[in-house]
Each structure stands twice: as structure tokens, then as C-alpha cells.
Amino acid sequence: MNKKRLASVATSLVISSSALGAELSLLSNLEIEGDARVRGISTSGITSNSDKAKETYDSRIRINLNTTTDSGVKIHSRVVLDNDTWGKTSDKNVEWDEASVLVPLKDFFVYAGRVNDTYGTPFYGSHNDKIDLAFIGYTGIENTLLYGFDYKAVEGAYNSSNGQLGSSTGDGDYDAYGLGGQITIDKLLLGGRYVSLQDNRSDDGGKTFRDTKGFFVDAFASGEIAGLELQAQIQQNGGDKYSGGKKVDLEALGMYLNVAKQFDRLKIGAIAISTEDGYVAGGDLEASYLTSPTNGAIATLGRVGGYGDTVLLSGQVKYDINPELLIEATIASHSIKKATLNSLNKDLEITEYNLGLQYKIAKDVTYKIQYAAASFDQGNLDDIQNAMHSINIKF
């Protein structure tokens, strides 16, 4: 039986469109996997939380439980055990991070549950919340996915999240619905979507609600073309939003380009990011250590666009010395208009330097060392020095 495999940007899932029966059987395989990390961080200079110096250790364990029933239904769950700051009891938590079900049907699939709010694309400027998602996809056209979805984002800032999807009642976060599609051409994935957003949060315990309506449209490309690894996305937001106790126009634009080339053991890449009118990029971009909590020691500068409209340009080099040892270096330039960092409210130029090393101790164990430095063109801001080392284990 031929199966079409689509890497869905919308759901970050691999989808099989083979016809499967609707009867469910839970007598199936259960896979347990995950990762553990312990790291030490040292930061000096200005940071996103105004600390002048910070030295800490933290640890995290993520456990994934995956099963596939006899009829092909995929069930996924993830539990996260966090100890964000050793010695600080308030930073210890256990969270049921994800729980979802994927039901394949003939030429369709249904996907529902709590998932990461990224739309599958790292540039999307979400709050990195979890969302309760209902998603239906159509795979009846070769190498193509068409989809629609409805979700309710959950930030945990309120005790309840009982508003109806798309309504102006309840104490929850954003309600949203959207339509989109994507097509795979050779090794390149092209797609786009329209998403309608409604902010139904209450600032007074449920007496009144913001009731603002916004939207965004975006187009994206991901994959390989002409021997180059490519990620590109443009997103335009519109409608209105709630700011300063009233509704105001929402006009935000974000653009992202990530291009890389592999030369045997050497990889060279370049990233360009532009945010306008208040757009804030996603948190998992590889642009620099100081803007990414995933790829860097600690997101000292926070997400791109968080301090004002930003243009970020970075160049990266990675070299595999041998199968166990990788070194990487990055230089990045941040140009921020009317930067709010440390209440500056002036145009700001930041030059950032990164140097990292990864050593594979064993098949599933990696040791990392990362160093980042940033200098400012404003004399009243202390230059940043950031160092991290960590043990990362997959199981």
C-alpha cells in the first residue's frame, strides 16, 4: 500500500493518508521516550529581567508517552518536570505539557488535544502557550495538505477558561480559527494560512471583556532548494488589539529568512529577521544565543522584537571536527528602534558574539558549552557576558 507522507507545518506531524477503519483498540504498543538536562548558567550585565548578575543551575526532565492503536490512531502525551532554579522552591513544578489524539480517516485526519502554540513554524510570534486544538486535515491530493482548525489558547493566568470558541465570554485567552494549505514540491514545502484571533480576556474578574478581533495572514517555505537549506516566512497582522485600557489598531509585520549550505563537515548559514509595528518573533529561532532559550544558554535579550521594532542579521559557522565534537560560532547585529531595554527609549545597536562546543560523550549523552557576549552603542548599558554548560541525555 502506498502511503503519502506530509511534514505538516500546521501540526508538526507526519501524516499517513491510508484508509483505516474507525474501530479503536487500545491493545497496542506503548513507547516511552524523553530527555533530561542539567545546566549551569552565569550572566552578567543588562538582562531581560534587569538582573545585573545571575549564577544558577537548573534541571528539566521531559517524558513522552506515545502509542498507536490497532486501527492506526496515534495518542501522544508529555509530562515535564522542571526545577528552574536550584534552591528556589517556587520554581519547581510538574506539568502535563501535551495530550493529543490523531485519528486517520480516508483522505482526512482529525487531530485534537493540547499542543504547543507554534503552528509548526518557529517564527510565529505566539506566547509559547499551550493551546486546546481541534484540527481537521484533507490529504486526498498528492503532496498536498488542506486544513481548518479552531483553538483556545491557555496561559494559566486565570482560574477558568470557559468561554466558547470564538465568543466574547469567558476568562480565557485567545480564541481562534483558521484555514490553510501547503504543498510539497520536490524537497521544498510551500504554504500559507489565514487565522482569525479574538481576545476574550477579562481584566476585572469576568465583569467586562476586551472583545477585540484581530487576524493574521502568512506565507512560508521550508526545506531544500538548489542545494540550500531554506526557511522563510512573512506574516502580516491586522484588526484591533487591547492596549492601555482601550482598543487600538493592530498592524504588525514580521519577516524571517534562514539560509544555510553544507560543505562536507562545514556548515555556513545566514539569518535575517525584521519586525515592525510591535511584532514579536517566536522564541525558538536560531538567530543568536541571547534571543533563544532553546539554542542558547539563556534568552538574555528575549525574543526578537520584544524591545522595539528590530532588524537582526546574523552569520553562523558550524564545523564537525569528528563524529563526537562540533564547534559553532555566530556574529549577530541587532538594530532596534526606540528600544525599551532598561527604559532606554532610544535607537540601539547591539553587536553579539557566540561560541559553542558540543561533545557527544555517549550515544545519547551530549555535553555543551556556550559563551555569548554583547556590546551596546549606549554607554549606560552594561555589556553582557553569558556562559552556560550542560549535560543533555536522551532516553
Side-chain angles (χ1 to χ4, degrees):
M1 178 182 297
N2 293 327
K3 294 184 178 181
K4 295 172 288 183
R5 298 175 67 85
L6 299 174
S8 168
V9 169
T11 62
S12 299
L13 295 172
V14 176
I15 300 149
S16 171
S17 61
S18 58
L20 296 169
E23 181 181 353
L24 303 185
S25 172
L26 294 180
L27 299 177
S28 58
N29 60 305
L30 175 63
E31 297 180 356
I32 302 176
E33 61 181 10
D35 61 84
R37 181 191 68 196
V38 177
R39 64 181 180 178
I41 302 167
S42 176
T43 300
S44 63
I46 262 316
T47 70
S48 57
N49 58 8
S50 298
D51 290 341
K52 292 295 183 180
K54 183 176 183 180
E55 294 183 2
T56 185
Y57 274 86
D58 65 19
S59 53
R60 182 192 67 194
I61 299 175
R62 296 185 296 192
I63 303 172
N64 295 302
L65 305 174
N66 299 303
T67 186
T68 302
T69 70
D70 293 342
S71 53
V73 175
K74 298 180 184 297
I75 302 171
H76 166 73
S77 181
R78 184 168 77 174
V79 177
V80 177
L81 299 85
D82 254 327
N83 186 351
D84 289 343
T85 305
W86 287 10
K88 187 176 180 181
T89 57
S90 61
D91 279 352
K92 297 175 176 63
N93 62 81
V94 178
E95 181 181 7
W96 194 353
D97 199 44
E98 298 175 3
S100 61
V101 176
L102 174 66
V103 181
L105 306 168
K106 184 178 180 180
D107 293 336
F108 288 90
F109 68 92
V110 177
Y111 179 58
R114 178 158 297 188
V115 299
N116 277 312
D117 181 9
T118 62
Y119 291 96
T121 59
F123 183 63
Y124 167 63
S126 73
H127 297 290
N128 294 329
D129 301 330
K130 307 303 172 198
I131 58 175
D132 296 326
L133 175 75
F135 184 107
I136 184 167
Y138 174 70
T139 58
I141 304 172
E142 186 176 4
N143 296 324
T144 301
L145 171 66
L146 303 175
Y147 57 86
F149 60 88
D150 202 343
Y151 82 68
K152 188 173 190 66
V154 179
E155 285 191 333
Y158 299 92
N159 293 328
S160 64
S161 188
N162 54 13
Q164 300 299 310
L165 292 178
S167 78
S168 59
T169 61
D171 299 332
D173 199 317
Y174 282 100
D175 293 335
Y177 58 88
L179 298 171
Q182 61 193 51
I183 184 171
T184 301
I185 302 175
D186 195 14
K187 298 180 180 179
L188 188 64
L189 179 68
L190 303 172
R193 78 207 79 183
Y194 169 87
V195 179
S196 176
L197 300 167
Q198 180 163 316
D199 185 354
N200 70 340
R201 287 177 290 181
S202 173
D203 298 301
D204 54 11
K207 296 178 181 179
T208 60
F209 297 88
R210 297 182 177 184
D211 194 22
T212 61
K213 296 178 176 65
F215 69 90
F216 73 77
V217 292
D218 73 6
F220 51 84
S222 178
E224 184 177 322
I225 184 171
L228 297 174
E229 297 177 16
L230 172 69
Q231 291 183 32
Q233 187 168 346
I234 181 169
Q235 179 174 321
Q236 176 70 65
N237 292 31
D240 53 39
K241 65 179 180 179
Y242 193 84
S243 179
K246 60 182 179 180
K247 291 183 181 181
V248 298
D249 290 340
L250 171 61
E251 295 180 357
L253 175 65
M255 293 178 286
Y256 173 60
L257 178 64
N258 184 346
V259 180
K261 175 70 174 179
Q262 187 77 44
F263 301 92
D264 193 21
R265 292 184 293 175
L266 176 66
K267 186 175 183 178
I268 300 175
I271 294 178
I273 301 173
S274 174
T275 68
E276 299 179 12
D277 299 319
Y279 189 91
V280 180
D284 293 328
L285 303 179
E286 297 182 358
S288 75
Y289 288 170
L290 297 182
T291 58
S292 172
T294 298
N295 298 291
I298 184 172
T300 308
L301 291 176
R303 290 155 50 191
V304 180
Y307 294 114
D309 293 350
T310 301
V311 173
L312 188 154
L313 303 173
S314 72
Q316 302 174 330
V317 175
K318 297 182 180 181
Y319 184 71
D320 291 298
I321 296 178
N322 55 50
E324 290 78 32
L325 184 60
L326 167 72
I327 59 172
E328 60 184 10
T330 299
I331 181 170
S333 171
H334 310 245
S335 298
I336 308 173
K337 293 183 179 180
K338 296 182 179 179
T340 60
L341 180 66
N342 205 38
S343 302
L344 184 65
N345 294 319
K346 296 180 180 179
D347 291 352
L348 179 64
E349 298 286 335
I350 306 173
T351 303
E352 178 185 349
Y353 305 92
N354 302 159
L355 183 63
L357 179 148
Q358 299 182 35
Y359 180 70
K360 185 175 290 188
I361 300 174
K363 180 180 178 181
D364 299 318
V365 182
T366 303
Y367 178 67
K368 294 183 179 181
I369 299 175
Q370 293 178 332
Y371 171 79
S375 59
F376 304 90
D377 69 344
Q378 299 290 337
N380 60 335
L381 297 178
D382 296 333
D383 291 348
I384 294 174
Q385 302 284 333
N386 186 305
M388 182 277 290
H389 69 111
S390 68
I391 290 286
N392 302 268
I393 303 170
K394 294 184 178 180
F395 57 88

